[in-house]
Amino acid sequence: MRKPITMACLFLLLLVVLTGCWNRRELNELAIAVAMGVDKKDNDYLVSIQIVNPGAVAAQRAGTDTAPVITYSTQGTSIFEALRRTTTKSPRKIYLSHMQVIVLGKEVAEEGIAKVLDFLSRDHEFRTDFFLVVSKDATAEEILKTLTLLEKIPANKMFHSLQSSNTAWAATGKATLDKLISDMTSEGKHPVLTGITLDGAKDIAGTKENMQRIDSRALLRYEGLAVFKKDKLVGWLNEEESKGYNYIQNEVKSTAEYVACPNGGNIALEIIRTNSEMKGKVVRKKPEVAIEVRVEANISEVQCNMDLAKDKTIRGLEAKAAEKIKGFMQQAISKAQHKYKADIFGFGEAVHRAEPGFWKKAKQNWDEEFVGLDVDMRVDFNIRGLGTISNSYLETKEE
Amino acid sequence: MEQCGSLRKEPLQACLDANLKRIREISGGSTDIIIREVRIGRSEIKMAILYTEGLADKKVITDFILESLMLAIKETEIDLKISDRSHVSRVLRDFALTVSDTNEVSDFDGLFAFLLSGDAVILVDGSPCGIAASSRGWKDRGVSEPAAQTVVRGPRESFTETLRTNTALIRRRIKDPHLWLETIQIGRVTRTDVAIMYIKGIANEKIVQEVRDRLKRIDIDGILESGYIEELIQDKTFTPFPTVHNTERPDAAAAGLLEGRVVILVDGTPFVLMVPALFAQFLQASEDYYQRWDFATLIRQIRYISLFISLLVPSMYIAITTFHQEIIPPRLLISLASQREGVPFPAFVEALLMEITFEILREAGVRMPRAIGQSISIVGTLVIGQAAVEAGIVSPAMVIVVAITAIANFVIPAFSVGISIRMLRFGLMALAASFGLYGIILGVIVIVLHLCSLRSFGAPYMSPFAPFHLAEQKDTLFRLPLWALFSRPRAISQNDTIRENNEHPHPESKQNS
């Protein structure tokens, strides 16, 4: 009889000792943070934290007059300090596990984001699946104090908007913490982050008024890619360059392109599938990179009179489109090479993979080497379908 | 009990009056024991016919005992034979009594055993031997539909409170002389008939002997239901899990016999016991074998899922919402958080409150007079389903959790295992509230270890999962087609293990026809 009792005691003891993290919180004691913004203010950080107001978001109580989220902005010498100081304003402790988006202010980005990332990767509460973006022409605080429609929680709007624009438009980049840190620490690659900007009236962005109009007067929008050199923001890529960047990175899932018809008007193409390969090599002690992009597309809009049933027409369109995409990529590369002198494409990594021996010597001054790097681009463009009609109605009219 | 002891040894006397006097003395002159004194034949031999009113069939007594003794033997050869007086009872048994079954009684103990079971006892003056003539016949409920273990497809018969009817219901299904039946009486006062049934050659002899031994060891004043027997013969008392299976369905009992189990029938209850019991067996319903195998397999798996739902869902909910909020998808978390806005209790207290309320409702539903039963369900749904939520005492999510738990619990075909799960749920909820998922996992490990340590009449309780037998999996998580269920479970008996020899059925080829 003694043995089972001893075992039970031992078991209970183990139960208590082995638990590790032990933190009991009820759901209504949590302030669920969904977005965080970091700005600079008088040598301190200004941390804005967007917290869900569950009562106002839930489906059953929809239509209440309170805002769906609350954004607290607090100053502190470190992000952690600022977050803890937030509890002087918030009735509940900030819970960071459900972070969706982190917005880095432009100034913070220019000064270097490594310090911010340290907290994000050190703190145990973060689930590292949030997206990081850089605010452009607005502070992170202003971005986080904007109310949005459709997605009541602005952080959700930012999260899903980035996802959908990435899959359907391809001029934005999804960067999670892991990817950003691995790019930042890599010797053969510099990171990029998507930019976010606030269009319209900043003064009413956070009021109910903004949500009651059919055309929101203040609107969050993604724009371009921010180019970083190591952890410092050095400049921006515009929309076309961003697309070119994504073509090189094999990040394009689907997008829209157009080519001009020979006799005026345009033909819009829906890119349905792309695949790109980057290969590095060393020729006569000079590194070279070859990029091969295969693109498949459907014709989605025809604004001119053209006989699409002819093979020749299609071949012609394919060649034109290939040139166009090549142009985007060229634009992106030359901007990175000559303006920012930052290898954001990972050409260094490609060379490293191909010739590890050469890379050992080249990596010290890779940034200079990158400026004069020869990049060979080949685009294989294929049109697969014409849509549900063949020739445009324009043609029949003329006959 | 001194009287009983002396009664056991006391033989019948030759003098009829002395015997009758003693009988009246022992029974306290109970008014339902009828003593009819008659004189028969030319020699006017004194006799007494005794029976218990209500237990004996009066028609049998008047038509086949009184009539044949008093009228039919007059002026016949038998009449001459009994005038001898030396062996009257022998002659009557052999020639006169037109009843189906007679026995000889020589002491008061035996006499009362027959008398109080409904037989008529005939005592002859001058003979120390009485005759017990079978005349049992009392009002019983008759075979009706099973109340607890219903089926959509399958026989609608249920056991009744009469032992003989129950054995007959099993015999009707298994017409094999090797279906053996042993009856013993248990209960110092109630003297309840308890029957053991098994198929000789299929059942394991050792298990049969073990059942006999354990039944013989029982020393109790009364057996009112098979639950008494179950508790007195089970392998382990301190376990939440039943190690004896019970059923009220004759077809389930017959299936148990065919698998080599021993069936214990107790007079006075429609629930018969089956040993050895395996855990997997509690999740099998007789209908599994009457419906098509693919459907039966699906249902089987739903039952296993339900088992885990009813055991784990409340504790999982508590653990995840109070310790592991990071594993809930953001949208779900926000929805759950909004439901919990304003709920004053921690999730554990909330869950406990709801689970206990539900248990109270369930118990009330069982005990309620049937006429009020319906109002209970209305009050129940209104009180816990709506009012509590609207008052902000519990969150709607918790109501869903409690409801799914309760419904999943009813899916388990064996009520006895359902009860085990109901009890263990509370322990796991406490573990979840103090240690989170870690506590649940430890709790589950303890439960599994405990299950694996159990044995039922020598058979490992978790067989065929642990010890694992691949071939036996045919009738656990899956119910393979009938032609593939070719062998009996080995954990129960190793005798005559091949059940059938069927090919995969297909249309006969032309060569054969």
Side-chain angles (χ1 to χ4, degrees):
Chain A
M1 203 55 204
R2 187 180 286 167
K3 210 180 157 197
I5 290 173
T6 326
M7 291 300 283
C9 291
L10 193 71
F11 174 75
L12 281 174
L13 197 73
L14 287 178
L15 199 62
V16 178
V17 173
L18 292 177
T19 42
C21 292
W22 194 86
N23 201 358
R24 214 189 88 87
R25 286 160 302 193
E26 292 296 331
L27 280 185
N28 40 9
E29 293 164 9
L30 295 180
I32 304 163
V34 284
M36 185 166 98
V38 185
D39 285 308
K40 250 348 231 201
K41 195 181 183 187
D42 337 315
N43 286 329
D44 277 353
Y45 287 112
L46 180 71
V47 177
S48 308
I49 192 107
Q50 195 174 80
I51 288 160
V52 178
N53 174 10
V57 180
Q60 41 174 319
R61 271 167 258 177
T64 48
D65 258 1
T66 46
V69 290
I70 310 134
T71 301
Y72 295 114
S73 296
T74 317
Q75 210 171 324
T77 52
S78 65
I79 299 172
F80 184 68
E81 188 193 297
L83 278 178
R84 284 295 165 96
R85 188 168 287 145
T86 309
T87 53
T88 57
K89 301 174 197 167
S90 160
R92 300 172 182 177
K93 192 172 165 279
I94 312 290
Y95 183 66
L96 298 168
S97 293
H98 285 277
M99 194 60 69
Q100 310 265 303
V101 179
I102 288 183
V103 184
L104 300 167
K106 203 177 153 199
E107 286 169 64
V108 174
E110 277 164 356
E111 196 190 88
I113 55 173
K115 291 176 217 160
V116 179
L117 298 189
D118 183 88
F119 172 71
L120 299 184
S121 47
R122 199 179 291 279
D123 194 89
H124 71 272
E125 260 190 11
F126 284 104
R127 244 170 39 170
T128 56
D129 60 349
F130 50 83
F131 292 142
L132 288 130
V133 294
V134 178
S135 70
K136 190 181 181 185
D137 309 326
T139 63
E141 189 189 352
E142 283 166 340
I143 301 280
L144 290 197
K145 287 189 175 166
T146 304
L147 286 173
T148 54
L149 269 177
L150 222 55
E151 279 287 356
K152 278 191 184 172
I153 300 170
N156 276 351
K157 183 237 121 79
M158 289 192 260
F159 187 89
H160 292 294
S161 188
L162 187 56
Q163 256 179 342
S164 59
S165 67
N166 187 259
T167 45
W169 180 232
T172 55
K174 290 192 292 184
T176 55
L177 186 65
D178 297 336
K179 189 178 168 232
L180 178 63
I181 289 175
S182 94
D183 283 358
M184 210 172 74
T185 50
S186 160
E187 283 165 317
K189 193 172 183 187
H190 290 295
V192 297
L193 286 179
T194 306
I196 189 163
T197 183
L198 179 57
D199 287 347
K202 283 180 186 174
D203 52 326
I204 64 145
T207 63
K208 201 88 198 167
E209 199 193 328
N210 195 34
M211 286 171 73
Q212 278 164 347
R213 292 172 61 103
I214 196 163
D215 55 335
S216 297
R217 286 184 55 204
L219 205 62
L220 294 175
R221 181 170 58 84
Y222 286 108
E223 188 187 342
L225 291 175
V227 178
F228 281 77
K229 196 158 187 180
K230 286 289 163 200
D231 70 324
K232 290 184 179 58
L233 176 71
V234 289
W236 297 85
L237 297 183
N238 66 20
E239 195 167 70
E240 289 183 352
E241 291 154 358
S242 301
K243 256 194 202 178
Y245 173 82
N246 279 334
Y247 274 116
I248 296 170
Q249 296 295 302
N250 194 15
E251 292 269 329
V252 177
K253 287 191 186 71
S254 172
T255 181
E257 301 288 359
Y258 74 91
V259 288
C261 300
N263 44 3
N266 288 322
I267 286 184
L269 297 164
E270 180 200 4
I271 310 294
I272 51 170
R273 224 166 285 131
T274 68
N275 182 35
S276 82
E277 258 175 66
M278 189 194 294
K279 276 199 185 107
K281 60 183 172 186
V282 179
V283 185
R284 279 184 239 105
K285 297 201 172 171
K286 283 278 287 175
E288 268 175 33
V289 173
I291 300 164
E292 204 179 314
V293 185
R294 273 185 302 280
V295 185
E296 285 176 39
N298 285 338
I299 289 175
S300 53
E301 203 174 326
V302 181
Q303 302 168 349
C304 56
N305 179 10
M306 251 183 136
D307 189 5
L308 295 172
K310 274 190 187 145
D311 201 38
K312 214 175 110 192
T313 335
I314 300 293
R315 295 288 156 268
L317 284 175
E318 282 174 352
K320 265 191 195 167
E323 270 317 306
K324 189 134 196 231
I325 287 171
K326 210 187 257 182
F328 290 160
M329 301 198 300
Q330 187 58 57
Q331 242 178 297
I333 292 172
S334 78
K335 199 163 188 183
Q337 276 180 327
H338 302 115
K339 196 168 173 196
Y340 304 130
K341 299 184 172 49
D343 177 10
I344 50 176
F345 307 99
F347 291 155
E349 282 178 356
V351 172
H352 186 181
R353 279 196 295 274
E355 299 272 345
F358 174 81
W359 176 248
K360 257 184 199 167
K361 280 173 273 162
K363 69 179 175 186
Q364 273 89 5
N365 49 356
W366 176 249
D367 283 345
E368 286 101 89
E369 197 93 58
F370 167 72
V371 173
L373 186 73
D374 254 348
V375 183
D376 175 38
M377 284 175 286
R378 231 177 293 162
V379 179
D380 179 19
F381 200 99
N382 289 297
I383 291 174
R384 298 295 186 206
L386 300 181
T388 49
I389 53 171
S390 52
N391 282 343
S392 165
Y393 300 123
L394 290 169
E395 192 185 39
T396 43
K397 262 187 205 162
E398 279 163 27
E399 280 167 9
Chain B
M1 284 290 114
E2 198 190 300
Q3 207 187 7
C4 283
S6 62
L7 212 150
R8 209 162 282 155
K9 286 165 204 155
E10 195 177 333
L12 288 173
Q13 287 161 2
C15 172
L16 179 65
D17 289 335
N19 282 339
L20 294 181
K21 196 179 158 225
R22 186 81 187 104
I23 287 165
R24 287 199 182 95
E25 214 175 279
I26 294 170
S27 65
S30 294
T31 45
D32 60 339
I33 294 176
I34 309 294
I35 300 174
R36 170 85 163 94
E37 286 180 73
V38 292
R39 282 167 187 274
I40 61 159
R42 250 184 311 194
S43 37
E44 298 192 351
I45 303 163
K46 264 172 78 182
M47 279 190 190
I49 292 134
L50 298 89
Y51 63 93
T52 309
E53 203 168 13
L55 295 182
D57 189 347
K58 266 195 180 162
K59 204 171 162 55
V60 174
I61 290 170
T62 52
D63 290 3
F64 305 111
I65 299 176
L66 288 174
E67 195 178 318
S68 29
L69 289 177
M70 294 171 79
L71 303 175
I73 61 171
K74 261 183 191 163
E75 313 288 334
T76 60
E77 271 181 56
I78 307 166
D79 204 355
L80 290 173
K81 276 185 188 164
I82 56 168
S83 55
D84 186 3
R85 292 216 175 200
S86 58
H87 39 263
V88 181
S89 55
R90 253 218 87 80
V91 175
L92 287 178
R93 266 182 81 182
D94 291 352
F95 297 101
L97 285 172
T98 51
V99 290
S100 56
D101 185 22
T102 59
N103 282 286
E104 192 170 272
V105 287
S106 57
D107 56 49
F108 285 102
D109 185 39
L111 184 145
F112 276 108
F114 283 112
L115 186 60
L116 296 174
S117 304
D119 289 336
V121 176
I122 301 156
L123 293 175
V124 183
D125 191 29
S127 163
C129 279
I131 306 162
S134 161
S135 66
R136 293 180 192 194
W138 54 79
K139 291 266 179 297
D140 67 4
R141 198 164 50 94
V143 177
S144 59
E145 272 197 49
Q149 296 163 351
T150 49
V151 290
V152 175
R153 177 175 175 179
R156 297 288 155 86
E157 278 176 336
S158 157
F159 285 123
T160 70
E161 281 76 7
T162 309
L163 179 68
R164 196 46 76 216
T165 314
N166 293 351
T167 56
L169 284 170
I170 295 179
R171 279 264 188 228
R172 270 208 13 229
R173 286 175 172 77
I174 304 174
K175 300 175 190 73
D176 189 307
H178 292 104
L179 175 62
W180 284 14
L181 175 68
E182 295 167 17
T183 310
I184 56 169
Q185 285 196 333
I186 303 178
R188 277 189 263 168
V189 178
T190 59
R191 301 197 195 184
T192 311
D193 284 325
V194 175
I196 311 173
M197 265 185 142
Y198 58 94
I199 299 178
K200 180 79 177 168
I202 294 178
N204 186 340
E205 265 323 307
K206 282 183 191 160
I207 291 177
V208 177
Q209 190 53 45
E210 184 63 33
V211 173
R212 268 186 218 122
D213 291 346
R214 289 193 196 180
L215 287 176
K216 273 192 194 118
R217 277 207 295 270
I218 295 175
D219 180 18
I220 191 171
D221 59 345
I223 300 288
L224 297 180
E225 213 275 335
S226 52
Y228 285 49
I229 302 277
E230 176 176 343
E231 262 194 56
L232 291 167
I233 64 168
Q234 68 190 358
D235 290 61
K236 200 169 186 158
T237 299
F238 296 104
T239 172
F241 294 97
T243 49
V244 176
H245 196 213
N246 69 65
T247 180
E248 58 170 343
R249 302 185 56 84
D251 52 329
L257 285 167
L258 288 171
E259 286 191 332
R261 282 179 233 274
V262 181
V263 169
I264 304 166
L265 303 100
V266 179
D267 194 27
T269 175
F271 288 93
V272 308
L273 307 177
M274 288 196 278
V275 290
L278 306 183
F279 186 74
Q281 188 192 348
F282 290 98
L283 290 159
Q284 299 168 345
S286 46
E287 196 171 355
D288 291 358
Y289 307 93
Y290 308 148
Q291 299 284 6
R292 288 174 43 82
W293 70 277
D294 41 5
F295 175 67
T297 298
L298 172 74
I299 297 298
R300 207 41 97 60
Q301 288 171 358
I302 285 175
R303 263 182 227 142
Y304 276 89
I305 293 167
S306 306
L307 180 84
F308 284 103
I309 288 178
S310 64
L311 181 65
L312 293 175
V313 163
S315 42
M316 290 282 240
Y317 179 80
I318 293 172
I320 291 174
T321 57
T322 52
F323 288 92
H324 314 283
Q325 295 95 349
E326 64 274 7
I327 68 172
I328 312 174
R331 277 161 196 266
L332 181 60
L333 178 75
I334 289 164
S335 150
L336 289 178
S338 76
Q339 292 176 22
R340 272 197 63 80
E341 287 293 308
V343 174
F345 306 113
F348 173 59
V349 176
E350 195 188 348
L352 210 59
L353 208 72
M354 290 299 288
E355 291 288 352
I356 290 174
T357 312
F358 178 72
E359 291 296 327
I360 291 171
L361 277 171
R362 168 141 64 174
E363 187 59 17
V366 176
R367 302 297 152 225
M368 272 274 158
R370 207 152 289 166
I372 321 174
Q374 245 180 350
S375 58
I376 262 293
S377 56
I378 295 167
V379 170
T381 41
L382 277 182
V383 167
I384 55 173
Q386 277 214 280
V389 172
E390 269 170 29
I393 294 170
V394 293
S395 58
M398 186 55 83
V399 176
I400 297 171
V401 166
V402 172
I404 185 72
T405 310
I407 289 175
N409 196 270
F410 288 125
V411 172
I412 302 169
F415 189 64
S416 43
V417 161
I419 295 173
S420 323
I421 302 295
R422 268 158 74 182
M423 291 191 296
L424 291 171
R425 199 171 69 210
F426 287 100
L428 285 176
M429 274 159 62
L431 277 174
S434 31
F435 301 102
L437 286 180
Y438 168 74
I440 296 179
I441 294 298
L442 282 181
V444 170
I445 289 174
V446 170
I447 292 171
V448 169
L449 288 180
H450 174 71
L451 277 171
C452 291
S453 77
L454 286 179
R455 278 171 175 274
S456 170
F457 286 79
Y461 195 52
M462 284 309 276
S463 166
F465 299 120
F468 186 80
H469 289 292
L470 184 63
E472 308 268 295
Q473 302 301 319
K474 61 190 186 302
D475 194 17
T476 51
L477 279 171
F478 304 92
R479 204 282 274 169
L480 295 192
L482 220 44
W483 49 264
L485 303 175
F486 58 90
S487 68
R488 301 178 214 286
R490 290 188 65 82
I492 295 171
S493 171
Q494 280 90 48
N495 302 336
D496 187 17
T497 50
I498 301 304
R499 297 187 79 147
E500 58 178 325
N501 185 14
N502 283 315
E503 295 270 310
H504 182 302
H506 51 82
E508 258 178 75
S509 60
K510 275 183 184 165
Q511 289 169 325
N512 295 351
S513 58

